[in-house]
Amino acid sequence: MRVILLGPPGAGKGTQAVRIAEAFGIPHISTGDIFRENVRGETKLGGEAKRYMDAGELVPDEVVVGMVADRLAQADAVDGFCLDGFPRTVPQAQALEDLLVDRDAPLEVVVRFLVDHDEVVQRLTGRRSCVDCGAVFHAEHAPPKDEGVCDKCGGELVQRDDDTEDVVLNRLDVYRKQTEPLEHFYWERGLLRDVEAVGEVDNVTERALGLLREYAS
Ligand code: AP5
Ligand code: MG
């Protein structure tokens, strides 16, 4: 299964990608997570990405495309992947298409998560993320058992630097301008499918898995 999850910040891409990856035995590849790991590890890539991320702007295409090409070349991604947060611009989508043509393994489906603006602002400002394993919670919708402590690994839960209201609003603006054109790009190729991404997390998962089973070989 070769799938992309498309949708605005806060649509639930990361939350659902973990479940989709597990259901189909494919790697979950989140460019945002890779950047955050690099920021934590204080690598050169992390240093370069951080100033864009903190402002809610996109990291330049050439940086992201090279990083994803390396990741997709790893053995676990040969038979499939669930991409979360990539591509985010038309040049990134074009680069991915070229890469997959070369591998003779085209994309099978692009799932667009539908959710409205007010809901995503509310989700993102309430999000809490684990500093150690990256697991995602929400202060009200998906609280951890013990406040401030990750259920999965016991790590500390914090608010992401880019989840403050002003940066969230800029990220949504950047999404509208730079990422929304991908909807047309994939619609033209007959790959775009919609999932209603509001309501209980489990119900969204059921809808997404139901759709993706049509593509599972
Ligand atoms: P990235 O990490 O990809 O952030 P994003 O796209 O802004 O998406 P989010 O992670 O904020 O949202 P999500 O859809 O994953 O939602 P989640 O499941 O967490 O990118 C960060 C930055 O890195 C970018 O701004 C950019 O600088 C850089 N970057 C990354 N990729 C790049 C690229 N390709 N090109 C250039 N730059 C790039 O859920 C959100 C919250 O809602 C959580 O608290 C969750 O618990 C809650 N929630 C989830 N589902 C539900 C539900 N059904 N009901 C209620 N609450 C829910
Ligand atoms: Mg995410």
Side-chain angles (χ1 to χ4, degrees), residues 1 4 8-9 38 52 54 64 89 106 124 127 131 155-156 158 160 168 177 190 192 197 204 210 216:
M1 163 91 54
I4 288 176
N38 277 276
Y52 296 100
D54 284 350
V64 191
T89 63
L124 291 176
R127 174 165 58 186
V131 289
E156 186 194 358
V158 296
R160 251 168 60 178
V168 163
K177 290 186 183 130
L192 193 67
V204 178

Side-chain angles (χ1 to χ4, degrees), residues 82-99:
C82 177
L83 276 169
D84 155 17
F86 180 92
R88 255 177 156 94
T89 63
V90 171
Q92 290 181 18
Q94 195 62 63
L96 177 67
E97 189 169 81
D98 295 347
L99 187 93

Side-chain angles (χ1 to χ4, degrees), residues 6-29:
L6 194 62
K13 302 181 299 293
T15 302
Q16 298 299 334
V18 170
R19 295 161 173 229
I20 290 167
E22 193 182 307
F24 294 105
I26 51 178
H28 164 206
I29 301 176

